[in-house]
Amino acid sequence: MENLALEGALTVTFVRSLFAHANIVDVDATAAEALPNVQVLTAADMDLGVFGPPPFPGVNPGMGRPLLAVDRVRFVGDIIAIVISDDRATGADAAELVSVDYDPLPAVVSPYEAAKDEVLLFPEVGTNVAARFGSPEHDEKLFGGCDVAVSGTLVSQRMAPCPLEPRSAAAELGPDGRITAWLSTQTPHQDRMVLAGTLGLDPAQVRVVGPDVGGGFGAKMLNVEEVLVVWLARRLGRPVRWTETRSESMVALPHGRAARLEFTLGGMRDGKVLAYRLEVLQDCGAYAVLGAFLPNLTGLMASGVYAIPRIEFESRSVVTNTTPISAFRGAGRPEASQVIERAIDTFAAELGMDPAEVRRRNFIPADAFPHTTASHAVYDSGDYEGALELALRSVGYDELRDEQRHRREQAATTQLGIGISCYVEITNGIAESEFGEVEITPDGGAIVRTGSFSHGQGHETTFAMIAAERLGLPVEKVTVHKGDTDEIAKGTGTYGSKSTQIGGAAARLAADDVLELAKQLVADYLEASPADIVLDPAVGRLHVAGDPSIGISWADLASRASADERLAELKAEHEFQAAPTFPFGAHVAVVEVDTETGRVELRRLVAVDDAGTLINPLIAEGQVHGGIATGVAQALYENFVYDDDGNPLTGTFVGYAFPSSADLPSWEAVEMETPTPLNALGAKGIGESGTIGATPAVHNAVVDALTPFGVRNVDLPANGENVWRALREAKA
Amino acid sequence: MTRIALTVNGSRCEADVEPRQLLVYFLRDQLGLKGTNVGCDTTSCGACTVLVDGESVKSCTVFAVQADGCEVTTVEGLAQGDELHPVQQAFHEQHALQCGYCTPGFVMATISLLKENPNPSEVEIRDGLEGNLCRCTGYHNIVKAVQAAARAGA
Amino acid sequence: MIPAAFEYERAGSVDEAVALLGRDEDAKLLAGGHSLIPTMRLRFSRPSLLVDIGRLDDLRYVRENRDRIAIGALTRHAELIRDPMLREHCALIGEAAALIGDPQVRHRGTIGGSVAHGDPASDLGTILLTLDAELVARGPRGERTIPAAAFFSGPFENALEHQEVLTEIRVPKAAGTYLKYVRRAHDWATVGVAAARVDGRVQVGLTSMGPTPLRARSVEDALADGASPADAAAHAADDTMPPTDATASSEYRAHLAQVLVRRALERL
């Protein structure tokens, strides 16, 4: 994105709050504006409203974020002023010279403190609670009839998404009054609508272009910075650009997770689970954005892969003086799977039963789909036991248990742990639609235009394969266009692992439509009936059924149609909408734990991930690999932390423990395909599965290694210090 | 401003630079070599890795003035015409990149690693790339690509 | 981030560097830059003049000097790792250098820069302190030798005067080992432990256990009195001030020090 050439563009630098919670008494920009060509803008210069919470039911609309902080800052990183300069270095110099007079307020960092409503972030709202989901009613008899009930707490810690490309945005006002915004984004079309809405423009006046984007992971949705850049380009009448630094990104790009989950799971001594209660306290950060809504997905997926007859769910989302929480790879579903998998292992430990066996006794059976859970999700298809058995076979489960027994008998310093996670997740969670268009080019190739966006997922290849297969074209003859709202009529973008199942499916349907149109044209040319024209996909030739000698290739058809000015007939668009799908799988992790230092080494991770039919197994596996690394990063390494005053302590890549290749093993990904009936491709989403499956497997493995020491849980990330603490507490 | 003269991708160049100009911004902004990316500000992520006198270096932690008289190679200097460098070719074939932002840095770090150790084990590869971060691939296919490049004698 | 503006001079000799430093009280030396530039980028450090000594190749060497090994201050970490003389006579320096940062950092970072920067998490500082190394500095009044025990005066502080340039480090020939506990591969030490046999006596040093590299004197004394490694190691955290930060708590560091000291002693 930074590579975009934009002649004469001014540089935007944001002046951000150094305090977590304070009133702004005064902003003095005199010294900054003394630098050459520097201009400083504050809230007083703005004529814009609040960047509102997403319009989800149940989210308090009064906790939106002013585009520039007005009178009060609510987290370290809140924007106080904007510096406009000719270049980056001057911008950094000037931002330092903007003097802000703060009147500090007590900071609320912990969500429990926030829930007490003693210090309010939005006094006018009267509470810190931004949203409540589920039911506060307790069924006293929920665990009636259970032999055993186990309880525990899992804190799914705060993570920074860390796409390698920090955010970047540029905007330019055209001579026709239209504004073009280049954004490092996942959602160009949605961005256009929100930009237009926030700036009071007709969407037709806004063009958004998503160039090559270096990763998003859910965090690169439109935010205040992008709105400000576009607003500035209009106000200044000059092109402007902004690229965040990493240390800026670490506090300004929304974070993920940050949920405290309390569970009680009850069942019978034979391993059968009967009832489950889950209570979530979600930290939403300083403003109610998507994070406030995410516990809804956690509640929906509470049942996991198990047939649990009775489930109670309740959540509260509270604002704190920290970076806002939004989507991050998994977004609400990892939390569900982390807690149910920990609960199942805790239950198994209580019964003294093998955790694999407890899972077998509770799976939703493969012949029970579609299946509606007690937490109100309608699962489309699955074979949970099949996935677990495949994973156990692949890892050599029994041999590993033998080795574990041996090390325990030897009282070895380094103990072995084996962890299982069986998960199901939801992709295209809110049943969205996606747009696809296919057009035959003059040389007989095809262009696919998609409303999905690719920022590393490889849609350019996958969607080309889908269309090429339908049209009988070599894949090199198909190019995929995305990300320019002027070229692509509509779109929803890429998040929630929904691209292939709706965007890919739309491309396929559009290709089928084009094929039908081509048959009509060929029928005209051959003086045959369209119904008699068939495609030979092996050679990309349309011919009369039963007589391949009477036909025409795509290249000849395109060339003849061009000459006749009929090429435009070979173009079709299709919008495809479908219900969510539910990818699933089983992961088994093998760890070694140094019981003296607490250090955990992940030795192996076997991952069976079933996302229905795979279009491009290489790309799908790549998604799994990256997903697993993020899941393992949460299990063992990363944790974004603040001190009691709300100062970030992990605000750079030095402090924040983003793992490198040296910290991780190679992955053992095992394919399994159970198609969904919900789209013609049979495909479900794969982008987040690895993350959702890996964290609980590794977490359970660490606890498993320490079982002989009486350890029942280790806080995440299960790093050396947290393992050491768990061992120390178990001894005490 | 300080006058510097150096060789970049085999071409000699002279320029006036502000002392605080970091090598990476000199390459990107003054020479227009946009293949070298900036991913952090703490010498951590390795996206900006280039070769200085044949060794991998994080160009965000070198002032352009320090590269005066040196030979710098960036990702743009690797391919011979249409033919990719064997390490680039291996990354392509092994699907060792997704968003691609970290890739130039990984490619340059790999070239330096293989120069020092032409037949690294998996552990040596993983340790040898500890200065480069990737959020997309989980490193799995990157390690495979380095192994493939080593086999190809890169 | 971009550093604040500064003036830049390249020194052609140590004496020239000494003179240039005298021009500006906010001047700083630039060697490999891998300690200084990161702090300048975050604007924690903002020298008004940088005196670049990075080209003084006559300060890049490892050579035998009677019973000691002399290391030029501009010798890079990568050079320390592969130096055959160090490998033979003082292997723990190369072992520790191999654990600093990552390959790119080791290609540029120098022993002198790392030690003079004075980060309490610096591995090489601990090793020099453990070995009772001598640090040679040249200033306007000529050359002097500073014992390591007097060199590290505080966090990011040392005994060098403003115009003094660290030129050489002298270490004894010694068998030793360095253990470093990190959260992840390229991190700074959560805790580091050096143990070496110097002139027949076992000496132990600690990284990240206080404001400077520390010697574990209680451990050394216990060993001298005949204690077993395990018993001596129980004193590893005596008289230390391990910090609490995002990497680890003070109490966990104290625990790690005990485990690592025992392991280092057992390896020695």
Side-chain angles (χ1 to χ4, degrees):
Chain A
M1 169 72 216
E2 257 261 297
N3 295 355
L4 176 82
L6 198 56
E7 201 58 41
L10 297 168
T11 297
V12 172
T13 307
F14 294 113
V15 177
R16 295 183 182 272
S17 175
L18 303 174
F19 283 81
H21 202 190
N23 286 319
I24 304 167
V25 180
D26 184 43
V27 180
D28 181 357
T30 320
E33 289 191 318
L35 293 180
N37 298 333
V38 167
Q39 190 185 346
V40 179
L41 300 170
T42 65
D45 303 301
M46 302 267 311
D47 48 6
L48 295 170
V50 166
F51 194 64
F56 288 118
V59 177
N60 193 318
M63 295 176 174
R65 179 172 177 187
L67 286 158
L68 274 182
V70 180
D71 302 333
R72 183 189 280 231
V73 285
R74 294 185 179 84
F75 71 101
V76 172
D78 225 347
I79 303 175
I80 295 171
I82 306 169
V83 171
I84 310 293
S85 63
D86 288 341
D87 61 79
R88 191 175 8 227
T90 310
D93 293 344
E96 238 183 359
L97 293 173
V98 174
S99 162
V100 181
D101 186 3
Y102 300 91
D103 178 15
L105 295 166
V108 192
V109 178
S110 135
Y112 332 110
E113 293 303 315
K116 291 180 188 162
D117 278 344
E118 285 166 3
V119 174
L120 297 176
L121 272 73
F122 298 86
E124 63 284 7
V125 176
T127 176
N128 288 325
V129 177
R132 287 176 189 273
F133 300 105
S135 163
E137 312 277 307
H138 278 261
D139 176 358
E140 297 300 326
K141 296 196 224 73
L142 189 70
F143 296 98
C146 292
D147 292 342
V148 175
V150 292
S151 295
T153 301
L154 182 135
V155 179
S156 189
Q157 80 273 25
R158 177 183 282 260
M159 294 178 79
C162 305
L164 253 285
E165 180 202 37
R167 279 178 303 174
S168 190
E172 182 173 34
L173 189 62
D176 56 356
R178 289 184 80 221
I179 189 101
T180 301
W182 294 267
L183 306 177
S184 178
T185 181
Q186 308 176 200
T187 51
H189 289 84
Q190 293 195 21
D191 296 352
R192 179 178 62 156
M193 297 308 290
V194 178
L195 280 170
T198 313
L199 299 175
L201 302 170
D202 177 349
Q205 293 299 101
V206 181
R207 174 188 179 196
V208 173
V209 181
D212 288 338
V213 169
F217 309 106
K220 282 186 183 165
M221 311 274 188
L222 195 77
N223 212 325
V224 290
E225 289 87 352
E226 290 87 358
V227 178
L228 288 169
V229 164
V230 174
W231 175 78
L232 284 164
R234 284 175 53 82
R235 178 184 164 114
L236 301 170
R238 290 268 305 271
V240 296
R241 69 189 310 159
W242 164 73
T243 298
E244 71 185 347
T245 65
R246 178 59 58 186
S247 34
E248 182 179 21
S249 184
M250 291 301 280
V251 296
L253 186 70
H255 292 166
R257 311 280 189 270
R260 181 187 173 96
L261 305 114
E262 295 191 38
F263 68 84
T264 305
L265 186 78
M268 308 304 287
R269 290 238 159 255
D270 66 0
K272 188 72 193 138
V273 173
L274 294 180
Y276 180 44
R277 176 171 171 80
L278 176 61
E279 219 170 299
V280 178
L281 181 61
Q282 173 73 50
D283 178 352
C284 342
Y287 299 97
V289 292
L290 188 58
F293 172 77
L294 293 179
N296 222 334
L297 288 175
T298 310
L300 183 68
M301 297 310 296
S303 193
V305 292
Y306 310 107
I308 304 177
R310 302 192 293 272
I311 295 179
E312 252 184 28
F313 170 77
E314 181 190 356
S315 76
R316 282 172 304 161
S317 304
V318 295
V319 287
T320 61
N321 292 117
T322 61
T323 295
I325 295 290
S326 184
F328 171 51
R329 208 163 194 169
R333 296 102 80 202
E335 294 85 338
S337 118
Q338 288 163 16
V339 66
I340 185 69
E341 289 305 284
R342 198 77 276 294
I344 289 282
D345 260 35
T346 310
F347 182 62
E350 183 68 26
L351 298 181
M353 195 179 277
D354 187 305
E357 188 52 34
V358 172
R359 285 176 170 79
R360 285 187 193 106
R361 293 186 187 187
N362 291 286
F363 282 135
I364 297 163
D367 59 5
F369 293 92
H371 174 89
T372 303
T373 67
S375 49
H376 314 298
V378 184
Y379 296 170
D380 54 341
S381 62
D383 177 6
Y384 305 145
E385 181 158 14
L388 177 62
E389 298 307 335
L390 181 54
L392 294 178
R393 265 200 315 281
S394 305
V395 82
Y397 187 67
D398 295 336
E399 293 78 2
L400 286 166
R401 286 284 177 209
D402 287 343
E403 190 189 336
Q404 180 181 57
R405 200 169 306 116
H406 180 70
R407 289 209 206 183
R408 286 178 180 177
E409 283 161 9
Q410 304 281 306
T413 302
T414 302
Q415 288 288 325
L416 194 72
I418 306 148
I420 296 171
S421 117
C422 295
Y423 73 89
V424 56
E425 69 124 335
I426 178 171
T427 62
N428 189 29
I430 49 174
E432 286 172 278
S433 67
E434 193 52 278
F435 171 83
E437 180 181 82
V438 173
E439 174 185 340
I440 301 299
T441 56
D443 67 347
I447 292 170
V448 175
R449 294 191 181 86
T450 176
S452 288
F453 188 73
S454 177
H455 42 288
Q457 293 85 351
H459 298 165
E460 297 85 345
T461 307
T462 306
F463 288 16
M465 287 171 68
I466 291 170
E469 190 258 334
R470 300 310 289 174
L471 298 173
L473 283 169
V475 70
E476 314 80 68
K477 295 286 281 182
V478 183
T479 53
V480 175
H481 293 195
K482 43 87 180 161
D484 183 337
T485 60
D486 268 11
E487 185 189 347
I488 291 140
K490 46 188 151 177
T492 62
T494 287
Y495 50 87
S497 300
K498 67 189 175 63
S499 292
T500 301
Q501 71 194 79
I502 55 172
R508 175 184 155 122
L509 292 165
D512 287 346
D513 294 347
V514 162
L515 181 59
E516 289 311 310
L517 294 169
K519 284 178 183 172
Q520 284 175 22
L521 190 58
V522 170
D524 277 4
Y525 286 152
L526 300 181
E527 294 177 357
S529 157
D532 292 336
I533 305 297
V534 294
L535 171 74
D536 179 350
V539 293
R541 205 163 168 278
L542 294 129
H543 63 83
V544 174
D547 188 353
S549 70
I550 309 174
I552 183 166
S553 69
W554 279 114
D556 291 342
L557 177 65
S559 141
R560 187 163 166 189
S562 297
D564 297 348
E565 296 189 347
R566 293 187 68 181
L567 191 63
E569 292 174 27
L570 300 180
K571 178 175 175 179
E573 53 179 66
H574 207 113
E575 213 167 341
F576 179 72
Q577 192 263 341
T581 66
F582 294 83
F584 64 93
H587 288 201
V588 183
V590 183
V591 300
E592 286 187 327
V593 182
D594 180 331
T595 54
E596 290 179 345
T597 62
R599 179 173 194 79
V600 177
E601 291 264 0
L602 178 60
R603 287 292 174 214
R604 294 176 64 196
L605 194 136
V606 169
V608 174
D609 293 289
D610 188 325
T613 308
L614 300 178
I615 310 301
N616 182 326
L618 186 69
I619 284 181
E621 199 177 291
Q623 287 290 310
V624 169
H625 291 158
I628 292 173
T630 297
V632 173
Q634 179 168 17
L636 298 180
Y637 294 103
E638 297 178 15
N639 186 14
F640 198 99
V641 289
Y642 293 89
D643 70 12
D644 293 343
D645 296 323
N647 298 303
L649 301 178
T650 46
T652 68
F653 277 177
V654 172
Y656 188 71
F658 183 154
S660 74
S661 57
D663 302 301
L664 302 171
S666 286
W667 316 117
E668 300 170 58
V670 183
E671 274 177 28
M672 176 165 165
E673 298 189 24
T674 307
T676 177
L678 296 180
N679 62 62
L681 297 166
K684 306 181 182 183
I686 190 77
E688 295 160 290
S689 299
T691 303
I692 293 167
T695 311
V698 177
H699 191 194
N700 283 343
V702 175
V703 180
D704 180 63
L706 302 174
T707 306
F709 300 88
V711 170
R712 285 286 174 272
N713 189 37
V714 176
D715 287 341
L716 291 174
N719 57 18
E721 176 151 9
N722 284 337
V723 166
W724 170 71
R725 286 186 185 286
L727 280 166
R728 202 173 55 159
E729 277 160 31
K731 266 179 214 154
Chain B
M1 288 288 182
T2 305
R3 186 92 181 147
I4 59 170
L6 66 169
T7 306
V8 179
N9 297 331
S11 304
R12 183 113 183 108
C13 67
E14 282 187 42
D16 289 316
V17 294
E18 235 198 304
R20 66 167 156 171
Q21 177 75 300
L22 295 163
L23 178 59
V24 65
Y25 291 122
F26 171 71
L27 294 168
R28 287 181 56 85
D29 299 343
Q30 278 180 256
L31 301 186
L33 296 170
K34 305 279 192 184
T36 306
N37 290 325
V38 179
C40 76
D41 41 20
T42 47
T43 326
S44 307
C45 79
C48 66
T49 302
V50 300
L51 304 182
V52 175
D53 295 335
E55 286 186 324
S56 61
V57 162
K58 293 181 175 177
S59 62
C60 74
T61 311
V62 177
F63 291 118
V65 288
Q66 290 176 282
D68 183 25
C70 294
E71 210 167 291
V72 175
T73 308
T74 70
V75 71
E76 289 92 343
L78 298 180
Q80 305 282 324
D82 287 342
E83 196 181 324
L84 292 178
H85 184 281
V87 172
Q88 290 175 304
Q89 186 67 28
F91 271 65
H92 172 67
E93 285 171 4
Q94 300 296 326
H95 184 44
L97 59 148
Q98 290 180 29
C99 85
Y101 197 79
C102 71
T103 312
F106 266 101
V107 167
M108 303 315 285
T110 298
I111 290 171
S112 188
L113 167 69
L114 292 179
K115 192 174 157 196
E116 290 170 26
N117 181 358
N119 288 301
S121 66
E122 179 179 340
V123 170
E124 287 169 338
I125 293 170
R126 288 187 172 275
D127 288 348
L129 296 177
E130 67 183 325
N132 292 70
L133 297 176
C134 170
R135 201 59 156 175
C136 295
T137 66
Y139 306 107
H140 184 103
N141 287 347
I142 291 175
V143 173
K144 276 169 64 181
V146 179
Q147 288 168 329
R151 278 195 302 274
Chain C
M1 284 276 283
I2 295 169
F6 56 85
E7 274 186 77
Y8 173 85
E9 293 286 355
R10 187 184 297 157
S13 67
V14 173
D15 289 336
E16 195 187 337
V18 170
L20 285 166
L21 285 172
R23 225 169 67 181
D24 187 332
E25 61 180 18
D26 288 324
K28 261 188 168 298
L29 286 177
L30 175 68
H34 273 54
S35 299
L36 181 61
I37 297 174
T39 63
M40 290 176 65
R41 289 192 72 192
L42 298 176
R43 300 201 176 194
F44 295 154
S45 167
R46 41 199 325 151
S48 47
L49 167 66
L50 279 192
V51 177
D52 186 356
I53 53 169
R55 300 300 172 89
L56 302 182
D57 284 343
D58 53 345
L59 293 185
R60 281 169 79 178
Y61 56 82
V62 177
R63 56 186 172 229
E64 207 166 359
N65 186 347
R66 288 191 294 274
D67 59 337
R68 303 216 131 202
I69 306 289
I71 305 169
L74 291 181
T75 310
R76 296 176 179 182
H77 304 319
E79 292 162 340
L80 298 173
I81 296 167
R82 41 176 195 256
D83 188 83
M85 190 173 305
L86 277 177
R87 201 170 289 170
E88 190 185 339
H89 295 298
C90 199
L92 84 169
I93 289 188
E95 259 178 51
L99 299 173
I100 296 172
D102 53 52
Q104 292 96 315
V105 169
R106 299 192 286 267
H107 286 148
R108 298 288 298 184
T110 66
I111 185 168
S114 171
V115 169
H117 185 61
D119 192 316
S122 153
D123 305 301
L124 289 173
T126 300
I127 285 176
L128 300 194
L129 184 68
T130 306
L131 293 171
D132 285 327
E134 293 166 333
L135 296 98
V136 182
R138 199 178 316 160
R141 292 183 301 279
E143 200 164 273
R144 67 173 176 134
T145 301
I146 309 165
F151 187 81
F152 301 101
S153 48
F156 306 100
E157 282 173 17
N158 59 49
L160 292 174
E161 285 167 20
H162 174 63
Q163 268 182 274
E164 279 185 320
V165 178
L166 179 63
T167 57
E168 185 177 278
I169 288 145
R170 294 176 193 153
V171 294
K173 294 176 182 175
T177 191
Y178 187 67
L179 297 182
K180 178 174 179 176
Y181 185 94
V182 287
R183 288 180 309 172
R184 57 172 172 163
H186 55 286
D187 257 4
W188 294 89
T190 304
V191 172
V193 169
R197 210 176 284 283
V198 182
D199 297 332
R201 183 187 150 89
V202 174
Q203 304 192 157
V204 178
L206 303 169
T207 308
S208 290
M209 286 294 286
T212 63
L214 297 177
R215 281 284 282 277
R217 301 279 179 198
S218 311
V219 175
E220 294 177 9
D221 292 346
L223 287 169
D225 290 344
S228 69
D231 288 343
H235 295 284
D238 291 3
D239 305 318
T240 62
M241 284 180 284
T244 289
D245 56 28
T247 302
S249 68
S250 173
E251 43 180 353
Y252 180 53
R253 284 194 159 96
H255 167 77
L256 279 178
Q258 293 172 7
V259 175
L260 297 183
V261 165
R262 193 200 74 225
R263 289 181 181 180
L265 294 175
E266 285 167 355
R267 254 170 69 160
L268 197 63

